[in-house]
Every structure is written in C-alpha cells, then in structure tokens.
Amino acid sequence: MSTKTERKFRYLFSGDVGRGGDDILRDPVHVENVDYLQIESTYGARVHEPKADANAIVGKLIRDTLDRKGKVIIPSFAVGRTQQVVYTLHQLTLAGQCRACPSTWTARSV
C-alpha cells in the first residue's frame, strides 16, 4: 500500500535587494506567505549613508582622485547597479560636481 503526500511550499530567491530610492532601479517590495527565503547579502549588516550624501561622497572621491591625476576604477558585478553608477556619474557631471573623465571603459565578466 502506498500513500502519496504532496508537499507544497513557496520558495523565494533574490539577488541584491538594495536600499531602494534609486533613480533607475525598482524599489524592493515586501512579499508574504514565503516558506523559504534566500537572499544574497553582500552588505547585509551595513548601514548606508542617505542617498544624497552618498552621491556627494562619490563626487568628492572622484574629484580628489582626478585632481591627483589618479585613476578611478569602479568594479561592478550587476548590470542594474552598473547602470545606477553610470547614471549617478552622469548626473554629477551635468551638475558640475564632477568633471568628465577623459575616457570611460565598461567591461563585463564573461
């Protein structure tokens, strides 16, 4: 004699959820009725600066580096985050808070 038991559960996987409030990325949303949740958590325990402060900090770091004739290298592992970084740099340049770099190279891992 055989008894068949169906196990049903809801499993949710997410990559980097982010902090929300980005200019071009969707904000994270709350989910309900999840039995198992798996989240990538590179900065899980880190408290981030407010976005306006973060953009000002990025602009200052880039200005200081370029003023010293240094090179700015920003590693990125996610397309959406790379788009946000490029957008932020563009906005800082338009606002006169960051001068345009002589060249920009974007590479992706293969």
Side-chain angles (χ1 to χ4, degrees):
M1 181 160 80
S2 168
T3 32
K4 184 176 180 182
T5 306
E6 289 189 35
R7 293 178 45 190
K8 293 184 180 182
F9 60 91
R10 189 164 177 217
Y11 175 83
L12 175 66
F13 171 81
S14 175
D16 181 10
V17 176
R19 63 178 158 191
D22 286 323
D23 298 311
I24 60 174
L25 300 177
R26 289 187 210 131
D27 288 344
V29 295
H30 293 278
V31 294
E32 297 179 2
N33 302 319
V34 174
D35 299 303
Y36 299 95
L37 176 63
Q38 182 178 353
I39 303 174
E40 182 256 332
S41 181
T42 304
Y43 304 105
R46 184 174 186 184
V47 177
H48 295 283
E49 299 87 5
K51 185 175 182 294
D53 294 345
N55 288 352
I57 291 168
V58 167
K60 181 175 180 353
L61 288 170
I62 291 173
R63 281 191 308 276
D64 292 350
T65 302
L66 295 177
D67 288 347
R68 293 190 322 264
K69 307 281 190 246
K71 295 181 181 175
V72 177
I73 300 171
I74 304 173
S76 181
F77 305 100
V79 172
R81 297 286 175 228
T82 302
Q83 290 171 321
Q84 183 64 44
V85 168
V86 170
Y87 181 80
T88 298
L89 293 175
H90 180 69
Q91 293 300 313
L92 289 169
T93 302
L94 289 178
Q97 298 175 6
C98 183
R99 65 185 163 137
C101 296
S103 63
T104 302
W105 294 89
T106 302
R108 66 180 179 92
S109 300
V110 179

XYZ file of all heavy atoms in Angstrom:
862
model
N 0.840 -1.163 0.000
C 0.000 0.000 0.000
C 0.896 1.242 0.000
O 1.891 1.293 0.701
C -0.899 -0.028 1.234
C -1.806 1.155 1.269
S -3.217 0.920 2.322
C -2.557 1.225 3.905
N 0.520 2.200 -0.772
C 1.310 3.414 -0.911
C 0.430 4.628 -0.651
O -0.682 4.703 -1.145
C 1.906 3.467 -2.322
O 2.443 4.732 -2.558
N 0.970 5.560 0.136
C 0.255 6.821 0.335
C 1.078 7.938 -0.274
O 2.283 8.011 -0.066
C 0.037 7.129 1.828
O 1.097 6.616 2.564
C -1.272 6.684 2.323
N 0.425 8.744 -1.022
C 1.120 9.842 -1.687
C 0.801 11.134 -0.929
O -0.352 11.483 -0.750
C 0.666 9.938 -3.142
C 1.410 10.974 -3.923
C 0.959 10.930 -5.370
C 1.703 11.976 -6.154
N 1.289 12.016 -7.537
N 1.871 11.793 -0.501
C 1.700 13.068 0.192
C 2.329 14.153 -0.664
O 3.496 14.066 -1.019
C 2.411 13.043 1.568
O 1.931 11.923 2.293
C 2.143 14.306 2.328
N 1.559 15.157 -0.991
C 2.092 16.268 -1.770
C 2.604 17.334 -0.815
O 1.895 17.765 0.078
C 1.012 16.855 -2.676
C 0.646 15.955 -3.815
C -0.262 16.666 -4.801
O -0.089 17.883 -4.993
O -1.128 15.991 -5.357
N 3.849 17.705 -1.020
C 4.441 18.781 -0.239
C 4.423 20.028 -1.079
O 4.983 20.059 -2.166
C 5.865 18.429 0.158
C 5.948 17.274 1.122
C 7.355 16.927 1.457
N 8.140 18.125 1.745
C 9.449 18.146 1.892
N 10.135 17.037 1.773
N 10.091 19.252 2.145
N 3.795 21.053 -0.600
C 3.759 22.322 -1.309
C 4.341 23.393 -0.394
O 3.993 23.460 0.780
C 2.332 22.700 -1.701
C 1.746 21.781 -2.732
C 0.382 22.256 -3.145
C -0.177 21.298 -4.185
N -1.474 21.725 -4.667
N 5.226 24.160 -0.963
C 5.781 25.279 -0.216
C 6.186 26.357 -1.201
O 6.319 26.122 -2.392
C 6.973 24.859 0.655
C 8.121 24.280 -0.117
C 9.141 25.101 -0.589
C 8.206 22.921 -0.372
C 10.201 24.584 -1.297
C 9.265 22.391 -1.076
C 10.272 23.221 -1.545
N 6.381 27.552 -0.679
C 6.767 28.688 -1.516
C 8.197 29.065 -1.190
O 8.522 29.393 -0.046
C 5.832 29.862 -1.267
C 6.039 30.984 -2.237
C 4.872 31.945 -2.223
N 5.169 33.050 -3.122
C 4.832 34.293 -2.896
N 4.134 34.601 -1.829
N 5.149 35.237 -3.747
N 9.049 29.039 -2.211
C 10.475 29.347 -2.082
C 10.756 30.614 -2.870
O 10.326 30.757 -4.015
C 11.295 28.184 -2.648
C 12.783 28.426 -2.696
C 13.567 28.227 -1.581
C 13.390 28.857 -3.865
C 14.936 28.448 -1.618
C 14.754 29.085 -3.920
C 15.517 28.873 -2.784
O 16.874 29.099 -2.830
N 11.468 31.574 -2.254
C 11.788 32.817 -2.936
C 13.286 33.052 -2.861
O 13.882 32.987 -1.787
C 11.046 33.996 -2.297
C 11.377 35.371 -2.847
C 10.915 35.496 -4.302
C 10.742 36.453 -2.005
N 13.887 33.297 -4.008
C 15.301 33.662 -4.079
C 15.407 35.065 -4.649
O 14.717 35.412 -5.597
C 16.091 32.701 -4.976
C 17.487 33.183 -5.238
C 18.482 32.988 -4.296
C 17.794 33.875 -6.400
C 19.768 33.455 -4.519
C 19.073 34.347 -6.633
C 20.061 34.131 -5.683
N 16.272 35.858 -4.067
C 16.506 37.194 -4.594
C 17.992 37.487 -4.563
O 18.705 37.068 -3.647
C 15.770 38.235 -3.743
O 16.098 39.529 -4.206
N 18.442 38.228 -5.553
C 19.809 38.731 -5.527
C 19.866 39.920 -4.587
O 19.081 40.025 -3.639
N 20.715 40.850 -4.855
C 20.870 42.045 -4.037
C 19.558 42.823 -4.032
O 19.085 43.263 -5.067
C 22.010 42.898 -4.603
C 22.261 44.162 -3.809
O 21.691 44.305 -2.715
O 23.035 44.991 -4.288
N 18.975 42.994 -2.885
C 17.699 43.686 -2.774
C 17.885 45.194 -2.905
O 17.061 45.887 -3.471
C 17.003 43.342 -1.436
C 15.722 44.125 -1.259
C 16.722 41.854 -1.366
N 18.973 45.714 -2.401
C 19.230 47.153 -2.474
C 18.479 47.916 -1.398
O 17.677 47.369 -0.654
N 18.756 49.202 -1.321
C 18.138 50.015 -0.271
C 16.905 50.764 -0.745
O 16.174 51.337 0.033
C 19.156 50.987 0.313
C 19.685 51.985 -0.676
C 20.645 52.926 0.007
N 21.518 53.533 -0.983
C 22.569 54.223 -0.685
N 22.899 54.387 0.570
N 23.310 54.747 -1.619
N 16.685 50.788 -2.051
C 15.526 51.488 -2.582
C 15.815 52.971 -2.795
O 16.851 53.486 -2.386
N 14.896 53.627 -3.467
C 15.041 55.045 -3.719
C 16.057 55.383 -4.792
O 16.467 56.533 -4.914
N 16.475 54.389 -5.581
C 17.419 54.649 -6.673
C 16.693 55.350 -7.816
O 15.474 55.278 -7.948
C 18.038 53.340 -7.186
C 19.058 52.769 -6.225
O 19.796 53.548 -5.609
O 19.105 51.537 -6.098
N 17.463 56.024 -8.638
C 16.867 56.781 -9.738
C 16.303 55.899 -10.840
O 15.285 56.241 -11.439
C 17.914 57.725 -10.347
C 18.396 58.746 -9.341
O 17.543 59.380 -8.695
O 19.620 58.898 -9.188
N 16.952 54.789 -11.139
C 16.516 53.981 -12.277
C 16.203 52.533 -11.925
O 15.675 51.805 -12.751
C 17.563 54.013 -13.419
C 18.903 53.460 -12.951
C 17.709 55.414 -13.973
C 19.922 53.340 -14.062
N 16.493 52.096 -10.713
C 16.201 50.719 -10.310
C 14.893 50.675 -9.524
O 14.573 51.607 -8.782
C 17.332 50.158 -9.448
C 18.709 50.100 -10.104
C 19.742 49.597 -9.114
C 18.672 49.210 -11.326
N 14.166 49.608 -9.671
C 12.918 49.451 -8.920
C 13.218 49.261 -7.438
O 14.194 48.614 -7.064
C 12.149 48.233 -9.416
C 11.558 48.426 -10.766
C 10.661 47.238 -11.124
N 10.699 47.091 -12.551
C 10.908 45.964 -13.185
N 11.082 44.852 -12.518
N 10.940 45.924 -14.493
N 12.336 49.782 -6.609
C 12.464 49.588 -5.168
C 12.112 48.154 -4.802
O 11.253 47.536 -5.448
C 11.531 50.532 -4.410
C 11.991 51.979 -4.463
O 13.168 52.219 -4.809
O 11.185 52.864 -4.152
N 12.743 47.630 -3.755
C 12.348 46.296 -3.298
C 10.915 46.323 -2.774
O 10.436 47.354 -2.289
C 13.342 45.992 -2.171
C 14.007 47.269 -1.831
C 13.804 48.212 -2.961
N 10.230 45.203 -2.893
C 8.856 45.105 -2.398
C 8.770 43.995 -1.353
O 9.544 43.039 -1.372
C 7.849 44.829 -3.547
C 7.791 45.988 -4.518
C 8.185 43.553 -4.275
N 7.827 44.160 -0.444
C 7.607 43.138 0.577
C 6.868 41.956 -0.041
O 6.024 42.126 -0.921
C 6.789 43.709 1.730
C 7.526 44.748 2.509
N 8.421 44.436 3.497
C 7.531 46.100 2.423
C 8.934 45.543 4.000
N 8.414 46.576 3.361
N 7.194 40.780 0.441
C 6.490 39.577 -0.014
C 5.869 38.903 1.199
O 6.316 39.081 2.327
C 7.435 38.598 -0.745
C 7.939 39.192 -2.035
C 8.586 38.185 0.140
N 4.833 38.152 0.947
C 4.140 37.460 2.027
C 4.027 35.982 1.711
O 4.172 35.559 0.568
C 2.747 38.063 2.228
C 2.787 39.519 2.658
C 1.393 40.100 2.824
O 0.402 39.369 2.649
O 1.309 41.307 3.112
N 3.746 35.222 2.726
C 3.482 33.782 2.601
C 4.630 33.033 1.941
O 4.418 32.211 1.054
C 2.177 33.544 1.839
C 0.997 34.215 2.503
O 0.883 34.195 3.726
N 0.151 34.839 1.718
N 5.848 33.322 2.358
C 7.023 32.619 1.848
C 7.502 31.656 2.920
O 7.673 32.024 4.078
C 8.142 33.620 1.489
C 9.410 32.893 1.096
C 7.682 34.538 0.378
N 7.690 30.407 2.535
C 8.165 29.406 3.486
C 9.684 29.404 3.617
O 10.225 29.214 4.701
C 7.682 28.013 3.063
C 6.173 27.938 3.029
O 5.547 28.218 4.071
O 5.615 27.631 1.958
N 10.370 29.595 2.493
C 11.824 29.619 2.467
C 12.284 30.842 1.687
O 11.846 31.062 0.571
C 12.400 28.357 1.814
C 12.033 27.096 2.546
C 10.934 26.342 2.152
C 12.779 26.668 3.644
C 10.579 25.192 2.836
C 12.436 25.524 4.327
C 11.335 24.794 3.925
O 10.989 23.661 4.596
N 13.166 31.621 2.292
C 13.652 32.844 1.664
C 15.174 32.799 1.609
O 15.836 32.570 2.619
C 13.207 34.068 2.471
C 13.707 35.430 2.026
C 13.191 35.757 0.625
C 13.261 36.502 3.017
N 15.731 33.000 0.425
C 17.183 33.029 0.240
C 17.536 34.357 -0.422
O 17.034 34.677 -1.491
C 17.644 31.861 -0.627
C 19.144 31.823 -0.808
C 19.584 30.625 -1.641
O 18.799 29.754 -1.977
N 20.850 30.603 -1.972
N 18.417 35.123 0.237
C 18.782 36.446 -0.256
C 20.291 36.587 -0.278
O 20.968 36.241 0.688
C 18.210 37.560 0.644
C 16.701 37.443 0.753
C 18.601 38.933 0.133
C 16.098 38.418 1.742
N 20.810 37.128 -1.359
C 22.230 37.484 -1.427
C 22.412 38.677 -0.496
O 21.600 39.586 -0.462
C 22.593 37.853 -2.868
C 24.051 38.198 -3.047
C 24.298 39.677 -3.190
O 23.434 40.401 -3.664
O 25.398 40.107 -2.809
N 23.478 38.661 0.294
C 23.622 39.682 1.328
C 25.060 40.164 1.448
O 25.702 39.990 2.470
C 23.138 39.112 2.661
O 23.238 40.082 3.661
N 25.564 40.799 0.423
C 26.934 41.300 0.457
C 27.113 42.327 1.564
O 28.097 42.320 2.282
C 27.298 41.934 -0.906
O 27.081 40.955 -1.922
C 28.748 42.367 -0.924
N 26.156 43.226 1.703
C 26.256 44.300 2.699
C 25.132 44.192 3.721
O 24.622 45.197 4.199
C 26.201 45.663 2.008
C 27.249 45.821 0.944
C 26.923 45.761 -0.402
C 28.584 46.015 1.293
C 27.895 45.897 -1.385
C 29.559 46.152 0.317
C 29.207 46.093 -1.009
O 30.171 46.227 -1.972
N 24.746 42.995 4.076
C 23.584 42.769 4.924
C 23.568 43.498 6.245
O 22.537 43.974 6.692
N 24.699 43.641 6.899
C 24.728 44.271 8.218
C 25.228 45.717 8.156
O 25.473 46.327 9.182
C 25.621 43.451 9.151
N 25.376 46.247 6.976
C 25.931 47.590 6.817
C 24.831 48.642 6.779
O 23.811 48.459 6.141
C 26.729 47.649 5.523
C 27.427 48.966 5.323
C 28.304 48.889 4.100
N 29.069 50.106 3.992
C 29.869 50.376 3.003
N 30.022 49.499 2.028
N 30.540 51.487 2.956
N 25.081 49.735 7.472
C 24.162 50.865 7.427
C 24.705 51.841 6.392
O 25.844 52.299 6.487
C 24.057 51.554 8.814
C 23.162 52.781 8.734
C 23.540 50.570 9.850
N 23.906 52.138 5.384
C 24.330 53.023 4.305
C 23.997 54.470 4.625
O 23.029 54.762 5.325
C 23.640 52.637 2.988
C 24.029 51.283 2.498
N 25.230 51.030 1.889
C 23.378 50.107 2.527
C 25.303 49.759 1.558
N 24.187 49.179 1.937
N 24.794 55.378 4.050
C 24.507 56.801 4.169
C 23.238 57.114 3.376
O 22.887 56.387 2.466
C 25.657 57.644 3.572
C 26.998 57.456 4.218
C 27.786 56.296 3.600
O 27.328 55.700 2.608
O 28.836 55.967 4.144
N 22.582 58.232 3.719
C 21.457 58.648 2.870
C 21.944 58.844 1.438
O 23.092 59.223 1.201
C 21.021 59.981 3.487
C 21.510 59.924 4.899
C 22.766 59.102 4.862
N 21.064 58.595 0.466
C 21.454 58.632 -0.942
C 22.086 59.959 -1.343
O 23.091 59.985 -2.045
C 20.247 58.344 -1.823
C 20.608 58.256 -3.286
C 19.407 57.842 -4.086
C 19.731 57.706 -5.526
N 20.084 58.914 -6.192
N 21.515 61.073 -0.901
C 22.071 62.389 -1.273
C 23.512 62.513 -0.775
O 24.385 63.026 -1.488
C 21.208 63.505 -0.698
N 23.776 62.043 0.428
C 25.138 62.077 0.963
C 26.055 61.150 0.181
O 27.209 61.480 -0.081
C 25.154 61.675 2.446
C 24.427 62.680 3.343
O 24.155 63.810 2.883
O 24.131 62.313 4.489
N 25.541 59.981 -0.196
C 26.348 59.013 -0.941
C 26.781 59.594 -2.284
O 27.943 59.456 -2.687
C 25.570 57.711 -1.143
N 25.872 60.273 -2.978
C 26.229 60.873 -4.265
C 27.282 61.960 -4.084
O 28.218 62.073 -4.881
C 24.990 61.440 -4.958
C 24.082 60.346 -5.498
O 24.428 59.174 -5.490
N 22.916 60.734 -5.951
N 27.151 62.767 -3.043
C 28.138 63.818 -2.769
C 29.492 63.203 -2.433
O 30.544 63.698 -2.876
C 27.660 64.710 -1.630
N 29.490 62.114 -1.687
C 30.737 61.425 -1.322
C 31.414 60.868 -2.574
O 32.625 61.009 -2.759
C 30.468 60.314 -0.291
C 30.065 60.942 1.051
C 31.680 59.405 -0.123
C 29.497 59.955 2.048
N 30.625 60.243 -3.451
C 31.171 59.706 -4.705
C 31.789 60.830 -5.528
O 32.906 60.712 -6.044
C 30.081 58.962 -5.523
C 30.546 58.686 -6.941
C 29.703 57.672 -4.832
N 31.070 61.929 -5.663
C 31.585 63.071 -6.429
C 32.898 63.587 -5.868
O 33.848 63.858 -6.605
N 32.976 63.709 -4.541
C 34.215 64.196 -3.906
C 35.366 63.221 -4.112
O 36.491 63.624 -4.425
C 33.992 64.444 -2.420
C 35.240 64.977 -1.724
C 34.988 65.335 -0.290
C 36.199 65.863 0.452
N 37.474 65.837 -0.162
N 35.104 61.938 -3.942
C 36.160 60.940 -4.135
C 36.709 60.986 -5.563
O 37.919 60.919 -5.784
C 35.633 59.534 -3.828
C 35.383 59.214 -2.357
C 34.635 57.903 -2.214
C 36.697 59.173 -1.595
N 35.821 61.117 -6.536
C 36.258 61.166 -7.933
C 37.034 62.451 -8.206
O 38.094 62.427 -8.827
C 35.060 61.003 -8.886
C 34.542 59.566 -8.783
C 35.441 61.340 -10.325
C 33.276 59.304 -9.540
N 36.511 63.581 -7.738
C 37.222 64.864 -7.934
C 38.620 64.807 -7.325
O 39.608 65.181 -7.963
C 36.442 66.022 -7.292
C 35.270 66.511 -8.106
C 34.716 67.823 -7.550
N 34.414 67.794 -6.134
C 33.275 67.336 -5.600
N 32.339 66.847 -6.395
N 33.075 67.364 -4.303
N 38.708 64.339 -6.074
C 40.006 64.266 -5.391
C 40.974 63.362 -6.140
O 42.158 63.676 -6.287
C 39.837 63.766 -3.956
C 39.111 64.764 -3.058
O 38.908 65.926 -3.487
O 38.740 64.371 -1.929
N 40.469 62.225 -6.626
C 41.327 61.276 -7.348
C 41.816 61.869 -8.663
O 43.007 61.787 -8.992
C 40.570 59.959 -7.600
O 40.163 59.419 -6.339
C 41.447 58.948 -8.322
N 40.911 62.476 -9.433
C 41.303 63.065 -10.718
C 42.230 64.261 -10.527
O 43.140 64.478 -11.334
C 40.066 63.465 -11.519
C 39.161 62.305 -11.974
C 37.933 62.838 -12.705
C 39.923 61.315 -12.831
N 42.024 65.036 -9.463
C 42.912 66.166 -9.175
C 44.345 65.704 -8.904
O 45.298 66.423 -9.180
C 42.399 66.974 -7.978
C 41.159 67.786 -8.320
O 40.840 67.932 -9.524
O 40.497 68.266 -7.363
N 44.480 64.495 -8.368
C 45.814 63.927 -8.108
C 46.334 63.151 -9.321
O 47.314 62.431 -9.224
C 45.758 62.987 -6.896
C 45.481 63.673 -5.577
C 45.665 62.730 -4.381
N 45.219 61.366 -4.604
C 44.033 60.865 -4.267
N 43.139 61.624 -3.703
N 43.745 59.605 -4.507
N 45.629 63.268 -10.461
C 45.976 62.537 -11.694
C 45.858 61.022 -11.501
O 46.538 60.243 -12.157
C 47.398 62.887 -12.173
C 47.659 64.356 -12.334
C 47.084 64.865 -13.628
C 47.576 66.278 -13.881
N 46.566 67.268 -13.845
N 44.989 60.621 -10.579
C 44.770 59.199 -10.312
C 43.760 58.605 -11.264
O 43.179 59.287 -12.116
N 43.543 57.325 -11.121
C 42.578 56.588 -11.948
C 41.427 56.131 -11.075
O 41.635 55.664 -9.961
C 43.245 55.380 -12.599
C 44.309 55.780 -13.582
C 44.938 54.582 -14.224
C 46.027 55.083 -15.174
N 46.775 54.026 -15.765
N 40.239 56.268 -11.591
C 39.041 55.823 -10.887
C 38.615 54.493 -11.493
O 38.317 54.418 -12.681
C 37.900 56.859 -11.010
C 36.643 56.336 -10.337
C 38.336 58.195 -10.424
N 38.608 53.468 -10.673
C 38.193 52.139 -11.121
C 37.042 51.706 -10.220
O 37.189 51.650 -9.007
C 39.356 51.124 -11.043
C 40.502 51.599 -11.933
C 38.876 49.730 -11.420
C 41.774 50.799 -11.779
N 35.907 51.421 -10.826
C 34.728 51.017 -10.068
C 34.324 49.615 -10.517
O 33.742 49.448 -11.589
C 33.555 51.998 -10.281
C 33.980 53.416 -9.911
C 32.349 51.555 -9.464
C 32.955 54.475 -10.248
N 34.652 48.602 -9.717
C 34.229 47.250 -10.101
C 32.720 47.112 -9.914
O 32.142 47.684 -9.002
C 34.989 46.343 -9.129
C 35.293 47.213 -7.959
C 35.382 48.616 -8.463
N 32.106 46.385 -10.802
C 30.674 46.173 -10.704
C 30.343 44.756 -11.140
O 30.916 44.247 -12.090
C 29.934 47.183 -11.582
O 28.566 46.984 -11.449
N 29.411 44.151 -10.446
C 29.078 42.755 -10.707
C 27.617 42.567 -11.110
O 27.184 41.468 -11.343
C 29.384 41.912 -9.474
C 30.803 42.081 -9.019
C 31.104 42.914 -7.960
C 31.838 41.448 -9.681
C 32.418 43.097 -7.553
C 33.151 41.623 -9.286
C 33.442 42.446 -8.219
N 26.876 43.658 -11.164
C 25.461 43.554 -11.516
C 25.118 44.652 -12.520
O 25.495 45.806 -12.336
C 24.596 43.693 -10.268
N 24.402 44.298 -13.551
C 24.076 45.245 -14.613
C 23.292 46.433 -14.056
O 23.589 47.584 -14.337
C 23.284 44.551 -15.748
C 22.776 45.570 -16.755
C 24.153 43.514 -16.428
N 22.283 46.175 -13.252
C 21.462 47.253 -12.715
C 22.268 48.228 -11.879
O 22.101 49.449 -11.979
N 23.148 47.716 -11.050
C 23.988 48.585 -10.214
C 24.954 49.382 -11.090
O 25.223 50.545 -10.836
C 24.760 47.777 -9.183
C 23.881 47.067 -8.205
C 23.268 48.025 -7.191
N 22.348 47.287 -6.368
C 21.118 47.669 -6.090
N 20.656 48.801 -6.544
N 20.340 46.942 -5.348
N 25.473 48.769 -12.131
C 26.369 49.485 -13.048
C 25.614 50.624 -13.719
O 26.138 51.733 -13.844
C 26.940 48.525 -14.109
O 27.625 47.458 -13.442
C 27.900 49.236 -15.049
N 24.390 50.360 -14.130
C 23.579 51.416 -14.740
C 23.372 52.563 -13.765
O 23.442 53.735 -14.137
C 22.223 50.855 -15.181
C 22.325 49.915 -16.359
C 21.009 49.216 -16.632
O 20.287 48.836 -15.714
N 20.701 49.047 -17.912
N 23.133 52.244 -12.500
C 22.933 53.286 -11.489
C 24.204 54.097 -11.286
O 24.156 55.318 -11.169
C 22.472 52.670 -10.160
C 22.182 53.694 -9.079
C 21.026 54.621 -9.421
O 19.999 54.181 -9.897
N 21.200 55.911 -9.185
N 25.366 53.450 -11.259
C 26.640 54.157 -11.093
C 26.875 55.098 -12.278
O 27.229 56.265 -12.093
C 27.818 53.167 -10.940
C 29.157 53.863 -11.068
C 27.730 52.440 -9.610
N 26.681 54.590 -13.491
C 26.884 55.424 -14.677
C 25.908 56.605 -14.673
O 26.288 57.743 -14.966
C 26.740 54.582 -15.976
C 26.715 55.463 -17.209
C 27.878 53.572 -16.057
N 24.671 56.360 -14.312
C 23.674 57.426 -14.241
C 24.078 58.474 -13.195
O 23.992 59.683 -13.448
C 22.300 56.841 -13.907
C 21.204 57.881 -13.841
C 20.617 58.368 -15.002
C 20.764 58.370 -12.621
C 19.621 59.330 -14.952
C 19.776 59.333 -12.556
C 19.200 59.804 -13.718
O 18.215 60.758 -13.661
N 24.525 58.027 -12.036
C 24.956 58.946 -10.974
C 26.135 59.789 -11.444
O 26.160 61.009 -11.232
C 25.329 58.166 -9.701
O 24.170 57.464 -9.234
C 25.839 59.083 -8.602
N 27.113 59.171 -12.089
C 28.267 59.919 -12.604
C 27.814 60.951 -13.643
O 28.304 62.086 -13.665
C 29.297 58.968 -13.211
C 29.990 58.030 -12.229
C 30.887 57.051 -12.969
C 30.776 58.802 -11.189
N 26.873 60.575 -14.486
C 26.343 61.494 -15.494
C 25.655 62.691 -14.816
O 25.876 63.841 -15.206
C 25.377 60.757 -16.419
C 24.778 61.609 -17.482
N 25.507 62.114 -18.541
C 23.512 62.060 -17.649
C 24.721 62.836 -19.313
N 23.506 62.821 -18.795
N 24.835 62.418 -13.821
C 24.138 63.488 -13.107
C 25.126 64.416 -12.396
O 24.957 65.641 -12.408
C 23.137 62.902 -12.093
C 21.975 62.168 -12.729
C 21.163 63.065 -13.648
O 20.812 64.180 -13.297
N 20.878 62.581 -14.841
N 26.159 63.838 -11.765
C 27.178 64.654 -11.096
C 27.917 65.535 -12.108
O 28.221 66.696 -11.834
C 28.168 63.764 -10.344
C 27.630 63.069 -9.087
C 28.620 62.014 -8.601
C 27.320 64.071 -7.983
N 28.187 64.992 -13.299
C 28.871 65.753 -14.343
C 27.990 66.903 -14.831
O 28.450 68.040 -14.953
C 29.254 64.836 -15.523
O 30.096 63.783 -15.024
C 30.004 65.586 -16.598
N 26.706 66.614 -15.090
C 25.779 67.663 -15.544
C 25.629 68.773 -14.508
O 25.487 69.947 -14.853
C 24.404 67.066 -15.853
C 24.302 66.184 -17.095
C 22.889 65.625 -17.225
C 24.702 66.948 -18.346
N 25.695 68.410 -13.220
C 25.533 69.385 -12.139
C 26.827 70.140 -11.844
O 26.853 71.008 -10.974
C 25.030 68.682 -10.876
N 27.905 69.788 -12.562
C 29.185 70.452 -12.336
C 29.892 70.001 -11.075
O 30.846 70.627 -10.627
N 29.439 68.901 -10.489
C 30.046 68.383 -9.265
C 31.146 67.378 -9.543
O 31.833 66.927 -8.647
C 28.972 67.751 -8.375
C 27.931 68.738 -7.923
C 26.816 68.066 -7.157
O 26.874 66.878 -6.863
N 25.780 68.819 -6.843
N 31.297 67.020 -10.810
C 32.312 66.051 -11.202
C 32.644 66.327 -12.671
O 31.744 66.386 -13.501
C 31.762 64.635 -11.031
S 32.931 63.341 -11.394
N 33.912 66.524 -12.961
C 34.253 66.786 -14.365
C 34.253 65.489 -15.153
O 34.437 64.401 -14.592
C 35.605 67.478 -14.465
C 36.751 66.627 -14.002
C 38.034 67.426 -14.011
N 38.980 66.711 -13.186
C 40.229 66.524 -13.507
N 40.709 67.031 -14.599
N 41.023 65.841 -12.718
N 34.049 65.614 -16.422
C 34.018 64.435 -17.284
C 35.403 63.798 -17.325
O 36.412 64.487 -17.428
C 33.576 64.819 -18.690
N 35.436 62.511 -17.226
C 36.704 61.784 -17.289
C 37.149 61.703 -18.750
O 36.313 61.672 -19.651
C 36.543 60.380 -16.733
S 36.115 60.353 -14.995
N 38.477 61.645 -18.979
C 38.961 61.574 -20.360
C 38.443 60.362 -21.126
O 38.186 60.432 -22.299
C 40.478 61.503 -20.218
C 40.782 61.781 -18.799
C 39.521 61.675 -18.013
N 38.276 59.244 -20.458
C 37.749 58.064 -21.135
C 37.048 57.181 -20.117
O 37.382 57.165 -18.944
C 38.855 57.276 -21.828
O 39.777 56.800 -20.876
N 36.062 56.460 -20.589
C 35.321 55.550 -19.749
C 35.299 54.184 -20.405
O 34.992 54.071 -21.591
C 33.873 56.043 -19.558
O 33.895 57.345 -18.995
C 33.103 55.123 -18.650
N 35.633 53.178 -19.653
C 35.631 51.827 -20.166
C 34.720 51.004 -19.274
O 34.813 51.058 -18.076
C 37.045 51.218 -20.123
C 37.976 51.894 -21.036
C 38.763 52.985 -20.770
C 38.266 51.558 -22.390
N 39.497 53.334 -21.857
C 39.213 52.472 -22.870
C 37.786 50.555 -23.248
C 39.703 52.413 -24.160
C 38.284 50.512 -24.533
C 39.227 51.434 -24.974
N 33.849 50.242 -19.910
C 32.999 49.337 -19.175
C 33.293 47.942 -19.684
O 33.241 47.682 -20.878
C 31.517 49.682 -19.393
O 31.293 51.029 -18.993
C 30.624 48.762 -18.580
N 33.619 47.068 -18.767
C 33.888 45.677 -19.134
C 32.958 44.780 -18.320
O 32.544 45.131 -17.228
C 35.335 45.315 -18.851
N 32.638 43.641 -18.862
C 31.834 42.699 -18.114
C 32.546 41.359 -18.079
O 33.294 41.014 -18.969
C 30.441 42.565 -18.709
C 30.410 41.942 -20.075
C 28.958 41.860 -20.564
N 28.924 41.296 -21.872
C 28.777 40.002 -22.141
N 28.640 39.150 -21.159
N 28.763 39.556 -23.367
N 32.296 40.634 -17.031
C 32.889 39.310 -16.912
C 32.243 38.377 -17.917
O 31.057 38.471 -18.189
C 32.668 38.747 -15.500
O 33.273 39.606 -14.582
N 33.018 37.496 -18.453
C 32.487 36.543 -19.422
C 32.504 35.171 -18.806
O 33.353 34.798 -18.087
C 33.323 36.560 -20.715
C 32.770 35.547 -21.689
C 33.294 37.929 -21.321
